[in-house]
Short mmCIF file of all heavy atoms in Angstrom, two decimals:
data_model
loop_
_atom_site.label_atom_id
_atom_site.label_comp_id
_atom_site.label_asym_id
_atom_site.label_seq_id
_atom_site.Cartn_x
_atom_site.Cartn_y
_atom_site.Cartn_z
N LEU A 21 21.35 -5.85 8.23
CA LEU A 21 20.46 -6.73 9.01
C LEU A 21 19.63 -5.93 10.00
O LEU A 21 18.45 -6.22 10.23
CB LEU A 21 21.31 -7.78 9.75
CG LEU A 21 21.95 -8.85 8.85
CD1 LEU A 21 22.91 -9.71 9.67
CD2 LEU A 21 20.87 -9.72 8.20
N SER A 22 20.25 -4.93 10.60
CA SER A 22 19.53 -4.09 11.54
C SER A 22 18.39 -3.36 10.87
O SER A 22 17.28 -3.27 11.39
CB SER A 22 20.49 -3.07 12.18
OG SER A 22 19.79 -2.18 13.01
N ALA A 23 18.67 -2.85 9.64
CA ALA A 23 17.64 -2.13 8.90
C ALA A 23 16.49 -3.04 8.54
O ALA A 23 15.33 -2.67 8.61
CB ALA A 23 18.25 -1.52 7.63
N CYS A 24 16.81 -4.27 8.14
CA CYS A 24 15.75 -5.23 7.80
C CYS A 24 14.88 -5.52 9.00
O CYS A 24 13.66 -5.60 8.90
CB CYS A 24 16.37 -6.54 7.29
SG CYS A 24 17.07 -6.40 5.63
N GLY A 25 15.50 -5.65 10.17
CA GLY A 25 14.72 -5.91 11.38
C GLY A 25 13.80 -4.76 11.69
O GLY A 25 12.66 -4.95 12.10
N SER A 26 14.24 -3.51 11.49
CA SER A 26 13.43 -2.34 11.75
C SER A 26 12.22 -2.30 10.82
O SER A 26 11.12 -2.02 11.22
CB SER A 26 14.28 -1.08 11.56
OG SER A 26 13.50 0.09 11.71
N ASP A 27 12.43 -2.57 9.53
CA ASP A 27 11.33 -2.58 8.57
C ASP A 27 10.29 -3.62 8.94
O ASP A 27 9.10 -3.40 8.83
CB ASP A 27 11.86 -2.88 7.16
CG ASP A 27 12.60 -1.68 6.58
OD1 ASP A 27 12.45 -0.59 7.17
OD2 ASP A 27 13.32 -1.85 5.59
N GLU A 28 10.70 -4.77 9.38
CA GLU A 28 9.79 -5.86 9.72
C GLU A 28 8.90 -5.45 10.89
O GLU A 28 7.72 -5.72 10.91
CB GLU A 28 10.59 -7.12 10.05
CG GLU A 28 9.71 -8.34 10.28
CD GLU A 28 10.53 -9.58 10.51
OE1 GLU A 28 11.76 -9.53 10.35
OE2 GLU A 28 9.94 -10.62 10.86
N THR A 29 9.49 -4.78 11.88
CA THR A 29 8.71 -4.33 13.04
C THR A 29 7.65 -3.32 12.62
O THR A 29 6.49 -3.41 13.03
CB THR A 29 9.65 -3.69 14.08
OG1 THR A 29 10.62 -4.65 14.47
CG2 THR A 29 8.87 -3.22 15.28
N ASN A 30 8.01 -2.35 11.77
CA ASN A 30 7.06 -1.34 11.34
C ASN A 30 5.95 -1.92 10.48
O ASN A 30 4.81 -1.53 10.57
CB ASN A 30 7.79 -0.24 10.55
CG ASN A 30 8.66 0.61 11.46
OD1 ASN A 30 8.44 0.66 12.65
ND2 ASN A 30 9.67 1.26 10.88
N SER A 31 6.29 -2.87 9.61
CA SER A 31 5.29 -3.43 8.70
C SER A 31 4.26 -4.25 9.44
O SER A 31 3.16 -4.45 8.97
CB SER A 31 5.97 -4.28 7.62
OG SER A 31 6.57 -5.42 8.20
N GLY A 32 4.63 -4.75 10.62
CA GLY A 32 3.64 -5.51 11.40
C GLY A 32 2.48 -4.66 11.82
O GLY A 32 1.37 -5.14 11.95
N GLY A 33 2.68 -3.38 12.11
CA GLY A 33 1.61 -2.43 12.39
C GLY A 33 1.15 -2.41 13.82
O GLY A 33 0.63 -1.42 14.28
N ALA A 34 1.33 -3.49 14.57
CA ALA A 34 0.76 -3.55 15.92
C ALA A 34 1.38 -2.51 16.83
O ALA A 34 0.68 -1.84 17.59
CB ALA A 34 0.98 -4.95 16.50
N ALA A 35 2.70 -2.34 16.73
CA ALA A 35 3.37 -1.43 17.64
C ALA A 35 2.99 0.02 17.39
O ALA A 35 2.94 0.82 18.29
CB ALA A 35 4.89 -1.60 17.52
N ASN A 36 2.71 0.36 16.11
CA ASN A 36 2.45 1.76 15.77
C ASN A 36 1.00 2.03 15.40
O ASN A 36 0.69 3.08 14.86
CB ASN A 36 3.35 2.17 14.59
CG ASN A 36 4.83 2.13 14.96
OD1 ASN A 36 5.17 2.42 16.09
ND2 ASN A 36 5.67 1.76 14.01
N GLU A 37 0.11 1.07 15.64
CA GLU A 37 -1.28 1.24 15.22
C GLU A 37 -1.92 2.49 15.81
O GLU A 37 -2.63 3.23 15.14
CB GLU A 37 -2.09 -0.01 15.63
CG GLU A 37 -3.54 0.00 15.18
CD GLU A 37 -3.68 -0.05 13.68
OE1 GLU A 37 -2.78 -0.56 13.00
OE2 GLU A 37 -4.69 0.45 13.16
N GLY A 38 -1.67 2.73 17.10
CA GLY A 38 -2.28 3.88 17.75
C GLY A 38 -1.73 5.20 17.26
O GLY A 38 -2.34 6.24 17.48
N GLU A 39 -0.56 5.19 16.61
CA GLU A 39 0.07 6.42 16.17
C GLU A 39 -0.31 6.78 14.73
O GLU A 39 0.00 7.87 14.27
CB GLU A 39 1.59 6.28 16.27
CG GLU A 39 2.08 6.04 17.71
CD GLU A 39 3.57 5.79 17.76
OE1 GLU A 39 4.23 5.91 16.70
OE2 GLU A 39 4.08 5.49 18.84
N LYS A 40 -0.96 5.89 14.03
CA LYS A 40 -1.27 6.16 12.62
C LYS A 40 -2.28 7.29 12.48
O LYS A 40 -3.25 7.38 13.23
CB LYS A 40 -1.83 4.90 11.95
CG LYS A 40 -2.18 5.14 10.48
CD LYS A 40 -2.59 3.86 9.78
CE LYS A 40 -2.93 4.15 8.32
NZ LYS A 40 -3.30 2.93 7.57
N THR A 41 -2.04 8.17 11.53
CA THR A 41 -2.98 9.23 11.22
C THR A 41 -3.68 8.88 9.91
O THR A 41 -3.02 8.72 8.87
CB THR A 41 -2.28 10.59 11.09
OG1 THR A 41 -1.71 10.94 12.36
CG2 THR A 41 -3.28 11.67 10.67
N TYR A 42 -4.99 8.73 9.97
CA TYR A 42 -5.76 8.38 8.78
C TYR A 42 -6.16 9.65 8.02
O TYR A 42 -6.42 10.69 8.62
CB TYR A 42 -7.03 7.62 9.18
CG TYR A 42 -6.75 6.29 9.84
CD1 TYR A 42 -6.71 6.19 11.23
CD2 TYR A 42 -6.53 5.15 9.09
CE1 TYR A 42 -6.45 4.97 11.85
CE2 TYR A 42 -6.28 3.93 9.70
CZ TYR A 42 -6.24 3.84 11.07
OH TYR A 42 -5.99 2.65 11.68
#
Side-chain angles (χ1 to χ4, degrees):
L21 289 172
S22 176
C24 287
S26 176
D27 286 346
E28 186 176 353
T29 301
N30 289 338
S31 66
N36 295 326
E37 183 65 26
E39 299 175 5
K40 179 174 181 179
T41 296
Y42 297 95

